[in-house]
Amino acid sequence: MKIKKSLVVGGVALTTAALLFSGTFAWVSSVQEATNRFLMEDYNVALHDVLDGTPVDNGGSHQVEWVAGTEVNKDIWVSNEGSDNILVRVKLIENMRIRKGTEEKLNVENVVHGSAEDVLHDYVTWTNGAAVKTYDEWKELSKEEQSGEYWVLADDGYAYWMKPLAPSGDEDAVGAVGNTALLLDGVTLNEGQEGAIEYSIKVEMDAIDAQLAGLNEEGTTWTGETAKAMATAAVYDPIQEEINRIQEDIANPPTDKEAHVSAYLAQKQKALDAYKAAQSAPDPEEKEAYLYEAKWRDLRGESEIVGGDYVKSPGSGAQFIMRVDDRQPGTGVVDEACTGTIVMYYSKDLPNARITDLSNPGVWQHTDYVDGVLREYTVTGIEAGAMKNVTAKNLMLEKWKAHPELLNEHTFDGLTTTYVIVGYKVAVGQEFLDDFKAGKYGVLANEVPEENYKYWK
């Protein structure tokens, strides 16, 4: 079913597939009608309905043999063959009649599948596609995870595809670009059913321009609080949210008494540029690299705030940023003692960086040039993934063994290194080395050849 441009505002797209039973045989027919609910210049959406491997076309029919207790393949999905991103939702409505002899045993009409009124689960069992979540499952997800390539069976009777559907490629294939995943995958007539059975699934499909999804004007968005909430979540762009936040930071920087403002603004602008580059990057790896750069620059700017939540390690080599978790009055010449967690490392444009300072963050002193307070920082933990996208020439294992409190099963995840230095003044020992190679302290992004495990004399 293809829906072309229409002047009609409001409406719904329908497909009906009826399963008619007599003994062990089923006759399946499909009648499809469409009226647009769209304000697009080029609107072309296809609702795919495939029974037992055969597409059920508009007005067509298909006969299959279906034995009670046996699943029949029934595929339903949607593709976007237009030129703009869209959001789609579908409602699956059941009708079922059972007659034995002259007695009518059941007559249920227009029941929304999965609703509180759905009494047909005793007679028919559905197999949903793998990318289908319940509404309760969806509500437990984080804000970022609530937008994705999956269906959500919402409490208003609709199933929502939770990501804008881009125009499709040349092929209408489930899960391909511009095509949703399967909503329905199979239907089973439960054991014990007998008599003359008529069963139908009616599919109501709605679509809106993804750019209009958040608007409340007549004809530009779905009505109902659930529909608006789902549409808003589906078009949520975490990168745009970060761009908005960085722009707000630049527009309202801290004062000269609170931060080294020029350095703060310079880093925030670099973060903004990197986020914008990530937003338009077509390649996933390129996008991830830009996002990593943006996060570093953002936190690097935060480290310019006096007594703020983040601080950068000293030195000009590979560096890290630590989130300050605790501050206590210092002793002696130190005014303030701080402990914290490393959130990310950085080695861009430093191909010969050694993970030496990073491997032994330990304690260092930092005099803030704005307020003159002498602060002492002690690293007490490292977040998982902090070394992702870091490239180093040498990883100094001896230094790490000296700090077992910093090691866990994710410490080295994502780190790329050319050489692993197994000892300098003192060898790390075979047991520690074997544990490292086995991934006990995280998995490197690359495989280091055996000859690149070195001992420095």
Side-chain angles (χ1 to χ4, degrees):
M1 178 196 66
K2 295 187 176 182
I3 306 174
K4 299 292 185 179
K5 176 184 175 184
S6 172
L7 297 178
V8 178
V9 179
V12 77
L14 305 178
T15 177
T16 303
L19 310 183
L20 307 180
F21 294 92
S22 177
T24 60
F25 293 91
W27 287 264
V28 181
S29 64
S30 177
V31 178
Q32 304 192 46
E33 300 174 358
T35 304
N36 285 338
R37 176 176 294 173
F38 237 96
L39 299 176
M40 293 179 63
E41 194 62 30
D42 182 13
Y43 174 41
N44 187 352
V45 179
L47 174 62
H48 300 273
D49 187 345
V50 180
L51 179 70
D52 197 31
T54 300
V56 182
D57 297 322
N58 189 26
S61 64
H62 177 51
Q63 177 177 316
V64 296
E65 183 177 358
W66 192 18
V67 180
T70 302
E71 182 179 84
V72 168
N73 182 247
K74 176 70 170 174
D75 294 340
I76 293 177
W77 81 97
V78 177
S79 64
N80 176 14
E81 300 178 1
S83 61
D84 294 304
N85 289 353
I86 63 170
L87 293 181
V88 297
R89 66 179 182 177
V90 300
K91 181 180 288 186
L92 303 177
I93 301 173
E94 299 173 278
N95 295 273
M96 192 172 196
R97 294 179 64 190
I98 300 178
R99 179 176 55 80
K100 190 172 183 180
T102 59
E103 181 184 2
E104 186 172 72
K105 308 289 289 187
L106 181 72
N107 188 352
V108 176
E109 296 182 344
N110 297 324
V111 174
V112 177
H113 182 74
S115 67
E117 295 77 23
D118 187 358
V119 297
L120 297 182
H121 57 269
D122 291 334
Y123 302 90
V124 178
T125 299
W126 285 15
T127 301
N128 291 323
V132 178
K133 300 181 186 295
T134 67
Y135 193 47
D136 288 339
E137 290 172 338
W138 177 79
K139 288 190 292 186
E140 294 298 318
L141 299 176
S142 67
K143 188 174 182 179
E144 290 78 8
E145 294 171 324
Q146 286 186 336
S147 174
E149 295 182 335
Y150 54 80
W151 293 98
V152 173
L153 305 174
D155 63 354
D156 61 353
Y158 283 95
Y160 291 82
W161 182 249
M162 293 307 300
K163 189 172 184 179
L165 197 59
S168 67
D170 296 331
E171 183 180 2
D172 289 330
V174 177
V177 174
N179 294 262
T180 70
L182 287 179
L183 174 57
L184 182 61
D185 193 22
V187 180
T188 301
L189 179 65
N190 294 344
E191 295 280 6
Q193 307 307 319
E194 58 182 12
I197 301 175
E198 181 179 318
Y199 175 72
S200 67
I201 301 173
K202 182 171 65 175
V203 185
E204 295 185 357
M205 181 181 70
D206 248 344
I208 56 174
D209 186 329
Q211 296 302 313
L212 302 178
L215 302 180
N216 297 320
E217 300 167 8
E218 183 69 24
T220 60
T221 192
W222 295 316
T223 59
E225 293 305 313
T226 297
K228 293 174 183 177
M230 301 297 280
T232 300
V235 298
Y236 171 71
D237 182 354
I239 296 179
Q240 185 60 50
E241 188 166 275
E242 293 302 303
I243 288 174
N244 295 341
R245 180 181 58 81
I246 297 295
Q247 288 176 331
E248 183 68 20
D249 289 344
I250 293 174
N252 300 282
T255 66
D256 289 338
K257 292 183 179 180
E258 297 170 324
H260 187 198
V261 179
S262 61
Y264 171 89
L265 290 175
Q267 296 297 331
K268 290 290 183 174
Q269 184 61 52
K270 290 180 179 179
L272 180 62
D273 294 342
Y275 275 125
K276 289 182 177 179
Q279 197 172 44
S280 59
D283 180 68
E285 291 186 3
E286 183 182 9
K287 180 185 292 288
E288 185 175 343
Y290 277 125
L291 289 175
Y292 194 84
E293 175 75 12
K295 181 180 178 181
W296 171 265
R297 295 300 178 184
D298 183 19
L299 295 182
R300 180 70 181 82
E302 293 295 312
S303 72
E304 298 294 339
I305 297 177
V306 176
D309 295 330
Y310 295 92
V311 62
K312 183 185 76 67
S313 62
S316 58
Q319 299 170 341
F320 62 81
I321 285 181
M322 182 182 80
R323 182 186 64 247
V324 179
D325 299 326
D326 187 41
R327 299 177 184 275
Q328 298 292 333
T331 59
V333 296
V334 175
D335 299 305
E336 190 176 73
C338 308
T339 58
T341 303
I342 294 176
V343 295
M344 69 184 304
Y345 292 86
Y346 187 80
S347 65
K348 186 179 180 182
D349 303 324
L350 297 168
N352 294 318
R354 280 193 275 173
I355 309 298
T356 303
D357 295 335
L358 300 187
S359 65
N360 185 15
V363 175
W364 79 95
Q365 292 183 337
H366 169 68
T367 302
D368 194 291
Y369 40 75
V370 178
D371 67 355
V373 174
L374 186 65
R375 297 181 173 89
E376 180 181 73
Y377 298 96
T378 302
V379 175
T380 56
I382 303 173
E383 285 189 355
M387 288 193 181
K388 191 175 183 181
N389 292 326
V390 170
T391 300
K393 184 175 182 180
N394 301 303
L395 172 62
M396 313 293 288
L397 281 189
E398 177 190 344
K399 300 290 189 178
W400 285 99
K401 186 181 179 182
H403 289 274
E405 75 280 2
L406 300 179
L407 291 171
N408 59 57
E409 66 272 22
H410 299 296
T411 301
F412 298 117
D413 283 353
L415 170 67
T416 299
T417 185
T418 304
Y419 297 98
V420 176
I421 309 304
V422 301
Y424 177 47
K425 296 180 180 179
V426 179
V428 297
Q430 192 62 45
E431 181 180 357
F432 184 86
L433 184 58
D434 289 343
D435 287 342
F436 171 80
K437 291 181 177 180
K440 181 178 179 179
Y441 307 116
V443 180
L444 297 176
N446 65 313
E447 185 174 347
V448 179
E450 191 62 35
E451 60 269 21
N452 285 6
Y453 284 84
K454 304 286 187 179
Y455 181 86
W456 278 5
K457 297 182 179 179

